[in-house]
Each structure stands twice: as structure tokens, then as C-alpha cells.
Amino acid sequence: MANDTQPRWDRKMQQRLARGEAAALGELYDRFASLVHSLAHRVLDDDEAADSTTRDVFGYVWENPHAFDPREGPLRSWIAALTQRLAASRLRQQQRGGGPLGPERARQIEEKVRAASTAARADYIVTSMPASLRAALELAYFERRDYRQTAEHLGVTEDEARRRLRLGLQLLSSAMTLPPGVASPAPGETPAPPHRMGQQQ
């Protein structure tokens, strides 16, 4: 499948999982485990919890391959969104500690969950965006280069450097709005695993 286009690879992987091919799950794990664990850890800040969430994600994909809809985005994005949702649900459970919650405590928990989910989504967007956009953002915002220095370093015109920065920032700004499948439920609600979660990029 090395020569397959990504959409075709995604559809084939879904079909193989639906047939119960254990080798397909192993291939999927090899490809996406580091992404899943990294996103889960960004939300939970705990290795053991991230490990458990990683197992939950691949267990869900194995048991529910048809929950992925190729028409709504790539498999990688669906898995990332699933990870963020399950990790956010686990964080809520950890924060509640099984006891009753007052309105203020519930609000604090939801703020923490949203902040962690936003940070994880921003990480995902940065690592998934084209290398040319990521390089421009890193130069301008982490190394404090101006447009001229960024353009010179990348070997492009200043207009092109501005365009790349503008596009990169637009992508990052979408991290502030979680996609429908990752929306936070009301306090006290236990979210079900998502069934249709495309990623908007």
C-alpha cells in the first residue's frame, strides 16, 4: 500500500479493520501510536493516563471501524479528534474524583479541559501543517525574526513570507474552536465516543 494515495489508504485500512485483520490494527498502531500518545499526554499531563487513553483509542477504532467516514476528512484527523475527546473525558473524570460538584468547581474543570484540549489541538495543527508554513511560524514567533529576515532565511519574497505566516496563523486560530466531534459536553455529562469527527484544516 506504499503507493496508495492517502484517501485510498484510509479506505483500505477501514475495510481491513472491518474484516477483523489484526495485522491492520498493528499497522495502524505503528503509524499513529506516537501521535495518539502525544495528544493524550498534552491533555492529561500524565504518562499512565496517556497510555490508557492510547489503548482506549485503538480499542475503539478496532471495534468501530465504520465510525470513520472518509468523506469527512482523513483517518489521521479522525483519530486525532477521537484522542482529544477521550482524553478530555478522562481528564474530567480525574478532576471530579467521583464526588459531587458545585457550579464553580464544574466551571473550573470545564475551563481546564477546554484549555488542555485547545493546546493539544494547536500542537496537532502545527505538526500537521505544511513544512513551509511551520518553518515561517517558527522563525517569526519562536526566533523573533521579522518578515524580511524570515523571507531571507527561507529564500522567498517578503510577500510570500507574509502569505505563509498569514495562512499558518489562520490554521492556528482554528484551535480555539474545537470541531463538532470534540465539543465539550455540559458538566456532568459523559461524552460517548465520537462517530463522525472530521478535522477542519
Side-chain angles (χ1 to χ4, degrees):
M1 286 195 295
N3 295 324
D4 286 343
T5 62
Q6 190 61 49
R8 188 179 179 193
W9 187 92
D10 290 351
R11 289 193 298 271
K12 280 189 173 182
M13 175 57 67
Q14 183 183 41
Q15 292 164 1
R16 293 173 65 200
L17 291 169
R19 291 195 297 265
E21 291 187 25
L25 181 63
E27 186 177 334
L28 192 75
Y29 184 88
D30 288 343
R31 178 172 289 209
F32 295 125
S34 62
L35 167 69
V36 170
H37 192 276
S38 174
L39 289 174
H41 195 280
R42 190 70 173 88
V43 174
L44 296 161
D45 194 27
D46 179 88
D47 282 333
E48 186 174 341
D51 288 344
S52 295
T53 300
T54 300
R55 289 193 294 271
D56 290 347
V57 167
F58 286 98
Y60 179 81
V61 174
W62 174 247
E63 294 173 3
N64 302 275
H66 292 299
F68 166 61
D69 186 346
R71 297 169 299 180
E72 295 189 354
L75 183 59
R76 174 188 171 92
S77 296
W78 180 73
I79 288 175
L82 171 62
T83 302
Q84 290 174 42
R85 179 152 186 181
L86 295 184
S89 177
R90 186 180 293 272
L91 181 59
R92 286 189 185 92
Q93 293 171 0
Q94 290 177 348
Q95 293 293 309
R96 287 172 182 148
L101 293 178
E104 179 61 21
R105 177 59 178 157
R107 183 188 64 77
Q108 291 173 352
I109 290 174
E110 287 308 307
E111 285 181 356
K112 181 170 184 176
V113 169
R114 180 166 293 278
S117 296
T118 297
R121 182 164 161 75
D123 282 352
Y124 175 75
I125 289 171
V126 169
T127 57
S128 300
M129 69 173 54
S132 59
L133 302 187
R134 185 167 61 249
L137 284 175
E138 288 173 349
L139 286 168
Y141 293 96
F142 296 117
E143 298 186 22
R144 303 296 185 186
R145 308 283 184 92
D146 59 23
Y147 285 118
R148 183 172 300 163
Q149 292 170 327
T150 297
E152 182 178 353
H153 185 91
L154 296 176
V156 299
T157 65
E158 289 184 36
D159 284 344
E160 175 63 13
R162 288 190 180 93
R163 186 189 71 82
R164 292 183 185 184
L165 286 169
R166 184 165 57 249
L167 288 174
L169 288 172
Q170 287 172 351
L171 287 172
L172 270 181
S173 69
S174 70
M176 299 304 295
T177 304
L178 296 177
V182 198
S184 297
E189 178 186 349
T190 300
H195 288 268
R196 293 179 134 188
M197 296 164 56
Q199 187 91 358
Q200 295 137 359
Q201 293 193 50

